Amino acid sequence: MLKNLILGIAIVITGCKGVSQEKELSMSEIQEEEESFKVVKTKEEWQKQLDEVQYFVLRQEGTERAFSSPLLQIKEEGVFKCAGCNTELFKSENKFDSGTGWPSFDREIEGNVAFDTDFKIGYERTEEHCATCGGHLGHVFNDGPNETTGKRHCVNGAALVFVPTK
């Protein structure tokens, strides 16, 4: 009997969808939000330009698998640009190995990254997007290097393109 009660409670708890933090956007609000960026493309145009993983990350706000990005190994001097619109987002001098499996930076190139609040997994996080095209980059956490900014910009490598300094 006790097992059934516990099982029933577990099903109810896991089956509940918390909507108090969700923001429902009307189609006009979504269109208005997208049009506020300098680079605006249709879904079809983005799908034609980006590969499957880039589209999933940048346009559908997905997350690539940890340790899957070849950008984790980049240690040379250069700049990391948005894979969607080529905007410079992060400098290699601000990249560090966080051990998380995603490229991490202690700061962004100011003005090129936009921030928003995200409650998608049940608690507040700072989400970051390309300020030019709105592409989803990742999230910012307060567990970065204490000797610099203390921030960790945890970025999907699929959202970035690395351009070495010539």
Side-chain angles (χ1 to χ4, degrees), residues 33-159:
E33 187 176 291
E34 288 175 353
E35 289 174 358
S36 66
F37 297 108
K38 292 175 189 169
V39 174
V40 178
K41 296 182 181 185
T42 65
K43 176 183 175 180
E44 292 76 21
E45 289 172 322
W46 284 120
Q47 286 176 323
K48 190 173 181 179
Q49 175 188 333
L50 304 170
D51 69 30
E52 193 174 312
V53 177
Q54 289 172 323
Y55 184 81
F56 173 67
V57 169
L58 286 165
R59 307 319 308 169
Q60 296 180 315
E61 298 184 349
T63 302
E64 69 188 0
R65 280 183 308 120
F67 300 100
S68 66
S69 174
L71 298 184
L72 280 172
Q73 308 310 319
I74 300 285
K75 300 197 186 319
E76 62 188 288
E77 192 176 318
V79 67
F80 293 84
K81 295 182 174 188
C82 176
C85 69
N86 226 21
T87 297
E88 293 185 353
L89 302 172
F90 303 97
K91 295 179 181 177
S92 61
E93 64 196 56
N94 302 122
K95 185 174 182 275
F96 67 97
D97 183 2
S98 65
T100 61
W102 290 278
S104 297
F105 304 86
D106 68 356
R107 70 195 78 183
E108 78 283 3
I109 295 176
E110 201 167 320
N112 293 355
V113 176
F115 302 92
D116 198 5
T117 303
D118 168 10
F119 291 98
K120 290 181 191 120
I121 61 171
Y123 63 90
E124 183 177 343
R125 297 184 298 173
T126 301
E127 186 172 13
E128 57 189 341
H129 296 268
C130 172
T132 304
C133 72
H136 170 75
L137 304 173
H139 293 85
V140 184
F141 301 97
N142 292 318
D143 59 1
N146 289 331
E147 60 278 2
T148 61
T149 64
K151 300 287 184 193
R152 173 174 56 95
H153 295 259
C154 186
V155 183
N156 289 283

